[in-house]
Amino acid sequence: MDQQTFEGIKQSFKEADLDTKIDMYATVEGLSHSQYKELLKMFPLNALDRLEAALA
């Protein structure tokens, strides 16, 4: 995904509530491995189990 588009997604992710973050992370397409990692850094650590369940 190009950097400009990713920056928009990243900003939306940063401002989203937890459920929206989980939905975005699980459904967004075309991200590189490093872009997924960048989003994951902004995800609350205490909710990683919910993200893992959504990805399963």
Side-chain angles (χ1 to χ4, degrees):
M1 176 176 293
D2 68 80
Q3 192 61 31
Q4 184 176 0
T5 303
F6 176 67
E7 288 300 323
I9 290 171
K10 189 168 84 169
Q11 186 63 33
S12 296
F13 190 86
K14 181 178 180 180
E15 296 170 357
D17 63 23
L18 181 60
D19 289 332
T20 304
K21 284 181 181 185
I22 290 169
D23 185 54
M24 288 177 71
Y25 195 90
T27 61
V28 71
E29 295 181 3
L31 296 180
S32 68
H33 181 74
S34 61
Q35 288 170 332
Y36 274 114
K37 283 177 61 175
E38 198 167 334
L39 291 182
L40 194 56
K41 288 179 185 179
M42 295 190 293
F43 195 84
L45 294 177
N46 62 345
L48 283 176
D49 58 330
R50 288 185 57 191
L51 178 60
E52 186 177 348
L55 294 172

